[in-house]
Amino acid sequence: MSDTGYIPPKVWEPKESGGKFASINRPVAGPTHDKELPVGKHPFQLYSLATPNGVKVTVLLEELLALGKDAEYDAWLIKIGDGDQFGSGFVEVNPNSKIPALMDRSGDKPIRVFESGSILLHLAEKFGAFLPSDPALRVETMNWLFWQMGSAPYLGGGFGHFYAYAPEKIEYAIDRFTMEAKRQLDVLDRRLAETRYLAGDEYTIADIAIWSWYGQLALGRLYDAAEFLDVESYENVQRWAKEIDARPAVQRGRMVNRTFGEPETQLHERHDASDFDTQTQDKIGG
Ligand SMILES: N[C@@H](CCC(=O)N[C@@H](CS)C(=O)NCC(=O)O)C(=O)O
């Protein structure tokens, strides 16, 4: 293993670090500029981008609508590469300056909801859907939901960052987080050998949260790492990932706030159910 020669100073000072997200990383919180957020006509106002954390929420909203629930929403695009998450209006909704952020305007007083797990729980409880009422199944759903919230940073911020985005390939970091990413895939594979979905027989918000990261990873959509991680070998994860991927609400949810991929899969903003047919980038040009 090579010695990088870096000796940490007594007190850390910020410096240009390079890498894909160098321009948006800061050591302080709070807004960088004044900017109000737009508000549309629907009860739910979502400010997001179609990363795995963003997709969790749009998939759930589309699933709720497919069930006939009154979950109509406006999805506004937050371009994190341009620093939109540091606008004053966004920071009022999420002081952590990360997508997704939701304003629930369905009641007397608007409620801010941030952290994707909190958003999933809020919506599932509000509509009594995708969260089992049986106490044991409900706890099992929470177990897996919180597992995802705690585990995915090792996949995204750890493995994905060092494998795909860091300005240099650091073997120690890639080995450490590849080990953990594969261990996590094996945790899921063993669970999904026992049950159809993560909490049991029912499709829940735990599946939505975990699919958005680990399902999409298994389907080869994250970090161009399918071969490196040998994702095909996790056979139960594959079966589960493909089953969820085939759901029409999942296919719609993936398109919302998407600014990459084929133009027909990109719906930058969603304000009406018909937008999927009329407002994708191939239709409106971009
Ligand atoms: N724990 C948060 C993580 C959210 C998160 O990391 N969002 C990323 C995109 S996937 C983001 O907004 N990054 C912008 C930034 O860090 O400035 C959640 O689940 O909502």
Side-chain angles (χ1 to χ4, degrees):
M1 198 172 304
S2 65
D3 180 356
T4 64
Y6 174 64
I7 299 168
K10 277 210 165 64
V11 179
W12 183 82
E13 295 284 348
K15 59 180 177 296
E16 179 56 53
S17 61
K20 186 162 174 188
F21 297 107
S23 63
I24 58 169
N25 290 341
R26 317 187 285 151
V28 292
T32 55
H33 58 282
D34 281 334
K35 189 163 184 214
E36 290 306 306
L37 288 175
V39 179
K41 59 182 189 284
H42 294 307
F44 297 98
Q45 298 296 307
L46 179 68
Y47 305 97
S48 196
L49 184 70
T51 67
N53 287 320
V55 157
K56 290 176 203 171
V57 178
T58 47
V59 165
L60 177 58
L61 286 163
E62 290 298 328
E63 292 281 12
L64 289 166
L65 288 168
L67 277 186
K69 306 282 185 188
D70 187 14
E72 268 298 347
Y73 66 105
D74 291 277
W76 303 94
L77 186 61
I78 297 295
K79 293 185 183 156
I80 61 175
D82 294 353
D84 291 351
Q85 70 276 37
F86 304 118
S88 53
F90 189 89
V91 176
E92 278 168 29
V93 182
N94 183 0
N96 197 37
S97 283
K98 289 184 195 286
I99 65 91
L102 180 78
M103 283 301 287
D104 176 351
R105 296 178 167 274
S106 64
D108 296 342
K109 269 192 183 169
I111 300 173
R112 78 173 188 188
V113 201
F114 62 90
E115 282 294 321
S116 57
S118 179
I119 298 174
L120 294 185
L121 203 47
H122 176 72
L123 292 172
E125 282 187 325
K126 184 170 190 106
F127 290 107
F130 305 110
L131 182 59
S133 46
D134 173 81
L137 289 180
R138 187 185 157 91
V139 170
E140 190 64 5
T141 304
M142 299 288 201
N143 292 343
W144 288 106
L145 177 66
F146 281 81
W147 178 88
Q148 187 280 315
M149 297 305 293
S151 300
Y154 292 97
L155 176 59
F159 172 74
H161 181 80
F162 287 105
Y163 181 73
Y165 302 139
E168 53 195 304
K169 302 285 179 231
I170 303 167
E171 188 175 352
Y172 176 81
I174 292 174
D175 282 347
R176 174 178 159 83
F177 291 114
T178 300
M179 183 97 72
E180 175 62 4
K182 286 184 72 79
R183 191 193 67 79
Q184 293 177 357
L185 282 165
D186 197 36
V187 169
L188 295 174
D189 204 56
R190 286 165 191 254
R191 172 58 178 167
L192 291 166
E194 298 166 341
T195 50
R196 180 171 173 193
Y197 296 112
L198 285 156
D201 295 337
E202 244 181 87
Y203 171 66
T204 69
I205 50 173
D207 296 289
I208 294 175
I210 295 176
W211 181 86
S212 299
W213 278 102
Y214 298 88
Q216 297 210 90
L217 180 72
L219 295 172
R221 294 184 189 148
L222 297 188
Y223 314 123
D224 208 4
E227 193 178 354
F228 185 70
L229 295 174
D230 192 17
V231 295
E232 287 297 333
S233 65
Y234 302 96
E235 288 176 13
N236 303 298
V237 174
Q238 287 293 333
R239 183 254 310 148
W240 164 88
K242 286 175 188 152
E243 183 181 340
I244 293 175
D245 195 44
R247 296 177 70 91
V250 172
Q251 290 169 13
R252 283 195 300 278
R254 281 186 63 216
M255 292 168 66
V256 179
N257 295 146
R258 186 173 159 106
T259 54
F260 49 89
E262 297 303 316
E264 63 273 19
T265 68
Q266 294 186 32
L267 181 58
H268 286 192
E269 292 197 348
R270 182 235 186 253
H271 301 290
D272 192 272
S274 66
D275 289 351
F276 292 101
D277 301 320
T278 60
Q279 299 299 313
T280 49
Q281 285 300 292
D282 58 319
K283 305 256 167 56
I284 64 171

Short mmCIF file of all heavy atoms in Angstrom, two decimals, residues 187-245:
data_model
loop_
_atom_site.label_atom_id
_atom_site.label_comp_id
_atom_site.label_asym_id
_atom_site.label_seq_id
_atom_site.Cartn_x
_atom_site.Cartn_y
_atom_site.Cartn_z
N VAL A 187 -26.60 -9.12 2.89
CA VAL A 187 -27.65 -9.01 3.93
C VAL A 187 -29.03 -9.08 3.25
O VAL A 187 -29.91 -9.84 3.65
CB VAL A 187 -27.52 -7.68 4.72
CG1 VAL A 187 -28.75 -7.44 5.60
CG2 VAL A 187 -26.25 -7.66 5.56
N LEU A 188 -29.17 -8.28 2.19
CA LEU A 188 -30.46 -8.24 1.47
C LEU A 188 -30.74 -9.58 0.79
O LEU A 188 -31.88 -10.07 0.80
CB LEU A 188 -30.44 -7.12 0.43
CG LEU A 188 -30.34 -5.70 0.98
CD1 LEU A 188 -30.19 -4.70 -0.16
CD2 LEU A 188 -31.56 -5.36 1.83
N ASP A 189 -29.71 -10.17 0.18
CA ASP A 189 -29.91 -11.42 -0.55
C ASP A 189 -30.39 -12.53 0.38
O ASP A 189 -31.28 -13.31 0.03
CB ASP A 189 -28.61 -11.82 -1.24
CG ASP A 189 -28.87 -12.71 -2.43
OD1 ASP A 189 -29.64 -12.30 -3.32
OD2 ASP A 189 -28.34 -13.84 -2.46
N ARG A 190 -29.81 -12.58 1.58
CA ARG A 190 -30.22 -13.62 2.53
C ARG A 190 -31.65 -13.37 3.01
O ARG A 190 -32.43 -14.31 3.16
CB ARG A 190 -29.26 -13.65 3.73
CG ARG A 190 -27.93 -14.27 3.36
CD ARG A 190 -26.89 -13.96 4.40
NE ARG A 190 -25.57 -14.33 3.92
CZ ARG A 190 -24.89 -15.41 4.33
NH1 ARG A 190 -25.39 -16.20 5.26
NH2 ARG A 190 -23.72 -15.68 3.82
N ARG A 191 -32.00 -12.11 3.26
CA ARG A 191 -33.37 -11.80 3.69
C ARG A 191 -34.37 -12.15 2.57
O ARG A 191 -35.41 -12.76 2.82
CB ARG A 191 -33.47 -10.31 4.04
CG ARG A 191 -34.87 -9.84 4.32
CD ARG A 191 -35.50 -10.61 5.45
NE ARG A 191 -36.85 -10.13 5.76
CZ ARG A 191 -37.70 -10.80 6.54
NH1 ARG A 191 -37.35 -11.96 7.08
NH2 ARG A 191 -38.90 -10.32 6.78
N LEU A 192 -34.01 -11.79 1.34
CA LEU A 192 -34.94 -12.00 0.22
C LEU A 192 -34.97 -13.46 -0.23
O LEU A 192 -35.80 -13.84 -1.07
CB LEU A 192 -34.60 -11.06 -0.93
CG LEU A 192 -34.91 -9.57 -0.59
CD1 LEU A 192 -34.25 -8.63 -1.60
CD2 LEU A 192 -36.43 -9.32 -0.53
N ALA A 193 -34.10 -14.30 0.34
CA ALA A 193 -34.23 -15.75 0.13
C ALA A 193 -35.37 -16.30 0.99
O ALA A 193 -35.95 -17.34 0.70
CB ALA A 193 -32.92 -16.45 0.50
N GLU A 194 -35.70 -15.55 2.06
CA GLU A 194 -36.75 -16.01 3.00
C GLU A 194 -38.11 -15.46 2.65
O GLU A 194 -39.12 -16.07 2.94
CB GLU A 194 -36.42 -15.51 4.42
CG GLU A 194 -35.13 -16.00 5.01
CD GLU A 194 -34.73 -15.18 6.26
OE1 GLU A 194 -35.24 -14.05 6.46
OE2 GLU A 194 -33.92 -15.71 7.02
N THR A 195 -38.14 -14.22 2.12
CA THR A 195 -39.42 -13.54 1.93
C THR A 195 -39.48 -12.88 0.55
O THR A 195 -38.44 -12.58 -0.04
CB THR A 195 -39.61 -12.42 2.99
OG1 THR A 195 -38.42 -11.63 3.02
CG2 THR A 195 -39.88 -13.00 4.37
N ARG A 196 -40.70 -12.65 0.08
CA ARG A 196 -40.85 -12.01 -1.24
C ARG A 196 -40.39 -10.55 -1.19
O ARG A 196 -39.71 -10.07 -2.07
CB ARG A 196 -42.33 -12.09 -1.64
CG ARG A 196 -42.61 -11.47 -2.98
CD ARG A 196 -44.04 -11.77 -3.41
NE ARG A 196 -44.39 -11.05 -4.61
CZ ARG A 196 -45.63 -10.93 -5.06
NH1 ARG A 196 -46.63 -11.51 -4.39
NH2 ARG A 196 -45.89 -10.26 -6.16
N TYR A 197 -40.85 -9.84 -0.14
CA TYR A 197 -40.45 -8.44 0.05
C TYR A 197 -39.69 -8.34 1.37
O TYR A 197 -39.63 -9.30 2.13
CB TYR A 197 -41.69 -7.54 0.07
CG TYR A 197 -42.43 -7.54 -1.25
CD1 TYR A 197 -43.70 -8.11 -1.35
CD2 TYR A 197 -41.86 -6.97 -2.39
CE1 TYR A 197 -44.38 -8.11 -2.56
CE2 TYR A 197 -42.53 -6.98 -3.60
CZ TYR A 197 -43.79 -7.55 -3.68
OH TYR A 197 -44.45 -7.55 -4.88
N LEU A 198 -39.18 -7.16 1.67
CA LEU A 198 -38.29 -7.08 2.84
C LEU A 198 -39.00 -7.31 4.16
O LEU A 198 -38.46 -7.97 5.05
CB LEU A 198 -37.51 -5.76 2.82
CG LEU A 198 -36.41 -5.87 1.75
CD1 LEU A 198 -35.98 -4.52 1.25
CD2 LEU A 198 -35.24 -6.68 2.26
N ALA A 199 -40.23 -6.78 4.30
CA ALA A 199 -40.92 -6.98 5.58
C ALA A 199 -41.70 -8.29 5.61
O ALA A 199 -42.18 -8.70 6.66
CB ALA A 199 -41.84 -5.80 5.85
N GLY A 200 -41.87 -8.93 4.49
CA GLY A 200 -42.66 -10.17 4.43
C GLY A 200 -43.34 -10.28 3.09
O GLY A 200 -42.71 -10.07 2.05
N ASP A 201 -44.66 -10.58 3.11
CA ASP A 201 -45.39 -10.76 1.84
C ASP A 201 -45.85 -9.45 1.22
O ASP A 201 -46.30 -9.43 0.07
CB ASP A 201 -46.65 -11.61 2.08
CG ASP A 201 -46.26 -13.01 2.50
OD1 ASP A 201 -45.12 -13.42 2.19
OD2 ASP A 201 -47.09 -13.67 3.17
N GLU A 202 -45.79 -8.38 2.01
CA GLU A 202 -46.34 -7.10 1.55
C GLU A 202 -45.26 -6.16 1.04
O GLU A 202 -44.21 -6.02 1.68
CB GLU A 202 -47.00 -6.39 2.75
CG GLU A 202 -48.48 -6.19 2.64
CD GLU A 202 -49.01 -5.46 3.88
OE1 GLU A 202 -48.99 -4.22 3.87
OE2 GLU A 202 -49.43 -6.13 4.83
N TYR A 203 -45.56 -5.50 -0.06
CA TYR A 203 -44.68 -4.45 -0.61
C TYR A 203 -44.87 -3.19 0.25
O TYR A 203 -45.99 -2.72 0.42
CB TYR A 203 -45.10 -4.23 -2.06
CG TYR A 203 -44.53 -3.07 -2.81
CD1 TYR A 203 -43.17 -3.01 -3.14
CD2 TYR A 203 -45.35 -2.04 -3.28
CE1 TYR A 203 -42.66 -1.96 -3.89
CE2 TYR A 203 -44.85 -0.98 -4.04
CZ TYR A 203 -43.50 -0.95 -4.33
OH TYR A 203 -43.01 0.09 -5.08
N THR A 204 -43.78 -2.66 0.80
CA THR A 204 -43.88 -1.54 1.75
C THR A 204 -42.90 -0.42 1.40
O THR A 204 -42.08 -0.55 0.49
CB THR A 204 -43.53 -2.01 3.19
OG1 THR A 204 -42.12 -2.32 3.21
CG2 THR A 204 -44.34 -3.23 3.61
N ILE A 205 -42.95 0.63 2.23
CA ILE A 205 -42.00 1.73 2.04
C ILE A 205 -40.55 1.27 2.24
O ILE A 205 -39.63 1.90 1.72
CB ILE A 205 -42.29 2.95 2.96
CG1 ILE A 205 -42.47 2.52 4.42
CG2 ILE A 205 -43.49 3.74 2.44
CD1 ILE A 205 -42.59 3.70 5.39
N ALA A 206 -40.34 0.17 2.93
CA ALA A 206 -38.97 -0.36 3.06
C ALA A 206 -38.47 -0.83 1.70
O ALA A 206 -37.31 -0.58 1.33
CB ALA A 206 -38.92 -1.50 4.07
N ASP A 207 -39.33 -1.50 0.93
CA ASP A 207 -38.92 -1.92 -0.42
C ASP A 207 -38.64 -0.71 -1.30
O ASP A 207 -37.67 -0.71 -2.07
CB ASP A 207 -40.02 -2.77 -1.06
CG ASP A 207 -40.24 -4.06 -0.30
OD1 ASP A 207 -39.37 -4.94 -0.36
OD2 ASP A 207 -41.27 -4.17 0.40
N ILE A 208 -39.49 0.30 -1.18
CA ILE A 208 -39.30 1.49 -2.03
C ILE A 208 -37.96 2.14 -1.71
O ILE A 208 -37.19 2.48 -2.61
CB ILE A 208 -40.49 2.48 -1.84
CG1 ILE A 208 -41.79 1.83 -2.37
CG2 ILE A 208 -40.20 3.81 -2.54
CD1 ILE A 208 -43.04 2.66 -2.14
N ALA A 209 -37.66 2.30 -0.41
CA ALA A 209 -36.41 2.95 -0.01
C ALA A 209 -35.20 2.12 -0.46
O ALA A 209 -34.22 2.65 -1.01
CB ALA A 209 -36.39 3.15 1.50
N ILE A 210 -35.26 0.82 -0.22
CA ILE A 210 -34.09 -0.02 -0.50
C ILE A 210 -33.94 -0.27 -2.00
O ILE A 210 -32.83 -0.28 -2.53
CB ILE A 210 -34.18 -1.33 0.32
CG1 ILE A 210 -34.07 -0.97 1.82
CG2 ILE A 210 -33.08 -2.31 -0.09
CD1 ILE A 210 -34.23 -2.13 2.77
N TRP A 211 -35.05 -0.42 -2.70
CA TRP A 211 -34.97 -0.62 -4.16
C TRP A 211 -34.28 0.57 -4.82
O TRP A 211 -33.46 0.39 -5.74
CB TRP A 211 -36.38 -0.82 -4.75
CG TRP A 211 -36.31 -1.05 -6.23
CD1 TRP A 211 -36.12 -2.25 -6.86
CD2 TRP A 211 -36.36 -0.05 -7.26
NE1 TRP A 211 -36.06 -2.05 -8.22
CE2 TRP A 211 -36.21 -0.71 -8.49
CE3 TRP A 211 -36.53 1.33 -7.25
CZ2 TRP A 211 -36.22 -0.04 -9.71
CZ3 TRP A 211 -36.53 2.02 -8.46
CH2 TRP A 211 -36.38 1.33 -9.67
N SER A 212 -34.62 1.78 -4.37
CA SER A 212 -34.08 2.97 -5.04
C SER A 212 -32.56 2.98 -5.03
O SER A 212 -31.92 3.44 -5.99
CB SER A 212 -34.63 4.24 -4.37
OG SER A 212 -36.03 4.26 -4.49
N TRP A 213 -31.96 2.43 -4.00
CA TRP A 213 -30.49 2.32 -3.94
C TRP A 213 -30.03 0.93 -4.42
O TRP A 213 -29.38 0.81 -5.44
CB TRP A 213 -30.01 2.52 -2.50
CG TRP A 213 -29.89 3.95 -2.10
CD1 TRP A 213 -30.77 4.68 -1.33
CD2 TRP A 213 -28.83 4.85 -2.43
NE1 TRP A 213 -30.30 5.96 -1.18
CE2 TRP A 213 -29.12 6.08 -1.83
CE3 TRP A 213 -27.65 4.73 -3.18
CZ2 TRP A 213 -28.28 7.20 -1.95
CZ3 TRP A 213 -26.81 5.83 -3.30
CH2 TRP A 213 -27.13 7.04 -2.70
N TYR A 214 -30.37 -0.09 -3.65
CA TYR A 214 -29.77 -1.41 -3.88
C TYR A 214 -30.41 -2.13 -5.07
O TYR A 214 -29.75 -2.90 -5.76
CB TYR A 214 -29.83 -2.25 -2.60
CG TYR A 214 -29.04 -1.59 -1.50
CD1 TYR A 214 -29.62 -0.65 -0.66
CD2 TYR A 214 -27.68 -1.86 -1.34
CE1 TYR A 214 -28.89 0.01 0.32
CE2 TYR A 214 -26.93 -1.21 -0.37
CZ TYR A 214 -27.54 -0.27 0.46
OH TYR A 214 -26.81 0.38 1.42
N GLY A 215 -31.69 -1.89 -5.31
CA GLY A 215 -32.35 -2.47 -6.47
C GLY A 215 -31.75 -1.88 -7.74
O GLY A 215 -31.40 -2.60 -8.68
N GLN A 216 -31.61 -0.57 -7.75
CA GLN A 216 -31.05 0.08 -8.94
C GLN A 216 -29.57 -0.29 -9.12
O GLN A 216 -29.09 -0.42 -10.23
CB GLN A 216 -31.25 1.59 -8.87
CG GLN A 216 -32.73 1.96 -8.87
CD GLN A 216 -33.00 3.31 -9.50
OE1 GLN A 216 -33.22 3.40 -10.70
NE2 GLN A 216 -32.94 4.35 -8.70
N LEU A 217 -28.86 -0.46 -8.00
CA LEU A 217 -27.46 -0.93 -8.09
C LEU A 217 -27.43 -2.31 -8.74
O LEU A 217 -26.64 -2.57 -9.65
CB LEU A 217 -26.86 -0.99 -6.67
CG LEU A 217 -25.41 -1.46 -6.58
CD1 LEU A 217 -24.46 -0.38 -7.11
CD2 LEU A 217 -25.04 -1.79 -5.12
N ALA A 218 -28.33 -3.20 -8.27
CA ALA A 218 -28.37 -4.57 -8.79
C ALA A 218 -28.76 -4.59 -10.27
O ALA A 218 -28.34 -5.49 -11.02
CB ALA A 218 -29.35 -5.41 -7.98
N LEU A 219 -29.54 -3.61 -10.69
CA LEU A 219 -29.95 -3.55 -12.10
C LEU A 219 -28.90 -2.84 -12.97
O LEU A 219 -29.13 -2.58 -14.15
CB LEU A 219 -31.31 -2.85 -12.22
CG LEU A 219 -32.48 -3.60 -11.56
CD1 LEU A 219 -33.75 -2.73 -11.55
CD2 LEU A 219 -32.76 -4.92 -12.26
N GLY A 220 -27.79 -2.49 -12.37
CA GLY A 220 -26.68 -1.91 -13.13
C GLY A 220 -26.82 -0.43 -13.42
O GLY A 220 -26.20 0.08 -14.35
N ARG A 221 -27.62 0.27 -12.61
CA ARG A 221 -27.87 1.68 -12.91
C ARG A 221 -27.03 2.65 -12.09
O ARG A 221 -27.13 3.86 -12.32
CB ARG A 221 -29.36 1.99 -12.67
CG ARG A 221 -30.25 1.25 -13.63
CD ARG A 221 -31.69 1.64 -13.45
NE ARG A 221 -32.51 0.75 -14.24
CZ ARG A 221 -33.74 0.39 -13.92
NH1 ARG A 221 -34.30 0.82 -12.80
NH2 ARG A 221 -34.40 -0.43 -14.69
N LEU A 222 -26.26 2.17 -11.15
CA LEU A 222 -25.48 3.09 -10.32
C LEU A 222 -23.98 2.85 -10.50
O LEU A 222 -23.51 1.72 -10.40
CB LEU A 222 -25.83 2.92 -8.83
CG LEU A 222 -27.25 3.23 -8.37
CD1 LEU A 222 -27.32 3.19 -6.84
CD2 LEU A 222 -27.74 4.57 -8.86
N TYR A 223 -23.26 3.92 -10.72
CA TYR A 223 -21.79 3.96 -10.69
C TYR A 223 -21.11 3.08 -11.74
O TYR A 223 -19.91 2.86 -11.66
CB TYR A 223 -21.27 3.56 -9.29
CG TYR A 223 -21.98 4.23 -8.16
CD1 TYR A 223 -22.61 3.49 -7.16
CD2 TYR A 223 -22.05 5.62 -8.11
CE1 TYR A 223 -23.29 4.12 -6.13
CE2 TYR A 223 -22.74 6.25 -7.07
CZ TYR A 223 -23.35 5.49 -6.10
OH TYR A 223 -24.03 6.10 -5.08
N ASP A 224 -21.87 2.51 -12.69
CA ASP A 224 -21.27 1.63 -13.69
C ASP A 224 -20.47 0.53 -12.99
O ASP A 224 -19.35 0.19 -13.40
CB ASP A 224 -20.35 2.48 -14.60
CG ASP A 224 -20.24 1.88 -16.00
OD1 ASP A 224 -20.94 0.87 -16.25
OD2 ASP A 224 -19.46 2.40 -16.81
N ALA A 225 -21.06 -0.03 -11.94
CA ALA A 225 -20.30 -0.93 -11.06
C ALA A 225 -20.86 -2.35 -11.02
O ALA A 225 -20.48 -3.15 -10.17
CB ALA A 225 -20.29 -0.36 -9.64
N ALA A 226 -21.78 -2.68 -11.95
CA ALA A 226 -22.45 -3.99 -11.88
C ALA A 226 -21.45 -5.13 -11.96
O ALA A 226 -21.50 -6.09 -11.18
CB ALA A 226 -23.48 -4.09 -13.00
N GLU A 227 -20.51 -5.04 -12.90
CA GLU A 227 -19.55 -6.13 -13.08
C GLU A 227 -18.58 -6.18 -11.90
O GLU A 227 -18.30 -7.24 -11.34
CB GLU A 227 -18.80 -5.91 -14.40
CG GLU A 227 -18.02 -7.13 -14.83
CD GLU A 227 -17.31 -6.91 -16.16
OE1 GLU A 227 -17.50 -5.85 -16.81
OE2 GLU A 227 -16.53 -7.81 -16.53
N PHE A 228 -18.10 -4.99 -11.50
CA PHE A 228 -17.12 -4.90 -10.41
C PHE A 228 -17.67 -5.53 -9.13
O PHE A 228 -16.97 -6.23 -8.40
CB PHE A 228 -16.78 -3.42 -10.18
CG PHE A 228 -15.70 -3.18 -9.16
CD1 PHE A 228 -14.38 -3.51 -9.42
CD2 PHE A 228 -16.01 -2.61 -7.93
CE1 PHE A 228 -13.38 -3.28 -8.48
CE2 PHE A 228 -15.01 -2.37 -6.98
CZ PHE A 228 -13.70 -2.71 -7.27
N LEU A 229 -18.95 -5.30 -8.86
CA LEU A 229 -19.57 -5.82 -7.62
C LEU A 229 -20.20 -7.21 -7.84
O LEU A 229 -20.72 -7.79 -6.88
CB LEU A 229 -20.66 -4.86 -7.11
CG LEU A 229 -20.17 -3.48 -6.64
CD1 LEU A 229 -21.36 -2.58 -6.32
CD2 LEU A 229 -19.26 -3.61 -5.41
N ASP A 230 -20.16 -7.69 -9.07
CA ASP A 230 -20.77 -8.98 -9.43
C ASP A 230 -22.22 -9.04 -8.93
O ASP A 230 -22.63 -9.97 -8.25
CB ASP A 230 -19.94 -10.14 -8.83
CG ASP A 230 -20.37 -11.50 -9.40
OD1 ASP A 230 -21.04 -11.50 -10.46
OD2 ASP A 230 -20.05 -12.53 -8.77
N VAL A 231 -22.99 -8.02 -9.33
CA VAL A 231 -24.36 -7.91 -8.81
C VAL A 231 -25.25 -9.07 -9.24
O VAL A 231 -26.22 -9.40 -8.56
CB VAL A 231 -25.03 -6.56 -9.21
CG1 VAL A 231 -24.32 -5.39 -8.56
CG2 VAL A 231 -25.09 -6.39 -10.72
N GLU A 232 -24.91 -9.72 -10.38
CA GLU A 232 -25.74 -10.84 -10.85
C GLU A 232 -25.75 -12.00 -9.87
O GLU A 232 -26.65 -12.82 -9.85
CB GLU A 232 -25.23 -11.34 -12.21
CG GLU A 232 -25.51 -10.42 -13.38
CD GLU A 232 -27.00 -10.22 -13.65
OE1 GLU A 232 -27.79 -11.13 -13.32
OE2 GLU A 232 -27.36 -9.15 -14.16
N SER A 233 -24.69 -12.08 -9.04
CA SER A 233 -24.59 -13.23 -8.13
C SER A 233 -25.59 -13.14 -6.97
O SER A 233 -25.82 -14.12 -6.27
CB SER A 233 -23.16 -13.38 -7.61
OG SER A 233 -22.83 -12.25 -6.82
N TYR A 234 -26.18 -11.97 -6.75
CA TYR A 234 -27.16 -11.83 -5.66
C TYR A 234 -28.54 -12.14 -6.26
O TYR A 234 -29.30 -11.26 -6.64
CB TYR A 234 -27.09 -10.42 -5.06
CG TYR A 234 -25.70 -10.11 -4.54
CD1 TYR A 234 -24.78 -9.41 -5.32
CD2 TYR A 234 -25.30 -10.55 -3.29
CE1 TYR A 234 -23.49 -9.15 -4.86
CE2 TYR A 234 -24.01 -10.30 -2.81
CZ TYR A 234 -23.11 -9.60 -3.61
OH TYR A 234 -21.84 -9.36 -3.16
N GLU A 235 -28.83 -13.44 -6.35
CA GLU A 235 -29.98 -13.89 -7.15
C GLU A 235 -31.32 -13.45 -6.58
O GLU A 235 -32.25 -13.14 -7.32
CB GLU A 235 -29.95 -15.42 -7.27
CG GLU A 235 -28.84 -15.87 -8.19
CD GLU A 235 -28.70 -17.38 -8.26
OE1 GLU A 235 -29.61 -18.09 -7.79
OE2 GLU A 235 -27.65 -17.82 -8.78
N ASN A 236 -31.43 -13.43 -5.26
CA ASN A 236 -32.71 -13.03 -4.65
C ASN A 236 -32.92 -11.53 -4.79
O ASN A 236 -34.04 -11.06 -5.00
CB ASN A 236 -32.75 -13.47 -3.19
CG ASN A 236 -32.53 -14.96 -3.09
OD1 ASN A 236 -33.31 -15.75 -3.61
ND2 ASN A 236 -31.42 -15.36 -2.46
N VAL A 237 -31.83 -10.78 -4.67
CA VAL A 237 -31.92 -9.33 -4.89
C VAL A 237 -32.33 -9.06 -6.34
O VAL A 237 -33.17 -8.20 -6.61
CB VAL A 237 -30.58 -8.63 -4.55
CG1 VAL A 237 -30.64 -7.15 -4.92
CG2 VAL A 237 -30.24 -8.78 -3.07
N GLN A 238 -31.77 -9.84 -7.27
CA GLN A 238 -32.13 -9.68 -8.68
C GLN A 238 -33.62 -9.91 -8.91
O GLN A 238 -34.29 -9.13 -9.59
CB GLN A 238 -31.33 -10.66 -9.56
CG GLN A 238 -29.85 -10.31 -9.71
CD GLN A 238 -29.64 -9.02 -10.50
OE1 GLN A 238 -30.45 -8.64 -11.32
NE2 GLN A 238 -28.54 -8.35 -10.23
N ARG A 239 -34.13 -11.00 -8.36
CA ARG A 239 -35.55 -11.34 -8.54
C ARG A 239 -36.45 -10.23 -8.00
O ARG A 239 -37.37 -9.75 -8.67
CB ARG A 239 -35.81 -12.66 -7.78
CG ARG A 239 -37.18 -13.26 -7.88
CD ARG A 239 -38.03 -13.11 -6.64
NE ARG A 239 -37.37 -13.51 -5.41
CZ ARG A 239 -37.59 -12.96 -4.22
NH1 ARG A 239 -38.41 -11.93 -4.11
NH2 ARG A 239 -36.98 -13.39 -3.14
N TRP A 240 -36.14 -9.77 -6.80
CA TRP A 240 -36.91 -8.70 -6.14
C TRP A 240 -36.77 -7.38 -6.90
O TRP A 240 -37.75 -6.67 -7.13
CB TRP A 240 -36.39 -8.61 -4.70
CG TRP A 240 -36.71 -7.41 -3.91
CD1 TRP A 240 -37.81 -7.20 -3.14
CD2 TRP A 240 -35.88 -6.24 -3.75
NE1 TRP A 240 -37.72 -5.98 -2.51
CE2 TRP A 240 -36.55 -5.38 -2.87
CE3 TRP A 240 -34.63 -5.86 -4.26
CZ2 TRP A 240 -36.02 -4.15 -2.49
CZ3 TRP A 240 -34.11 -4.64 -3.89
CH2 TRP A 240 -34.80 -3.79 -3.01
N ALA A 241 -35.55 -7.04 -7.32
CA ALA A 241 -35.32 -5.76 -8.02
C ALA A 241 -36.10 -5.72 -9.32
O ALA A 241 -36.70 -4.69 -9.67
CB ALA A 241 -33.83 -5.57 -8.30
N LYS A 242 -36.12 -6.84 -10.05
CA LYS A 242 -36.83 -6.87 -11.34
C LYS A 242 -38.34 -6.79 -11.13
O LYS A 242 -39.04 -6.14 -11.90
CB LYS A 242 -36.46 -8.14 -12.12
CG LYS A 242 -35.06 -8.05 -12.69
CD LYS A 242 -34.62 -9.33 -13.36
CE LYS A 242 -33.14 -9.23 -13.72
NZ LYS A 242 -32.48 -10.52 -13.75
N GLU A 243 -38.83 -7.46 -10.09
CA GLU A 243 -40.28 -7.42 -9.83
C GLU A 243 -40.72 -5.98 -9.54
O GLU A 243 -41.72 -5.51 -10.08
CB GLU A 243 -40.62 -8.34 -8.64
CG GLU A 243 -42.12 -8.37 -8.40
CD GLU A 243 -42.54 -9.23 -7.22
OE1 GLU A 243 -41.78 -10.11 -6.79
OE2 GLU A 243 -43.67 -8.99 -6.71
N ILE A 244 -39.95 -5.29 -8.72
CA ILE A 244 -40.34 -3.91 -8.37
C ILE A 244 -40.17 -2.99 -9.58
O ILE A 244 -41.00 -2.11 -9.84
CB ILE A 244 -39.54 -3.43 -7.14
CG1 ILE A 244 -39.98 -4.26 -5.92
CG2 ILE A 244 -39.75 -1.93 -6.89
CD1 ILE A 244 -39.22 -4.01 -4.66
N ASP A 245 -39.11 -3.20 -10.34
CA ASP A 245 -38.84 -2.37 -11.51
C ASP A 245 -39.99 -2.41 -12.53
O ASP A 245 -40.19 -1.45 -13.28
CB ASP A 245 -37.54 -2.84 -12.17
CG ASP A 245 -36.99 -1.83 -13.15
OD1 ASP A 245 -36.98 -0.63 -12.80
OD2 ASP A 245 -36.58 -2.22 -14.25
#
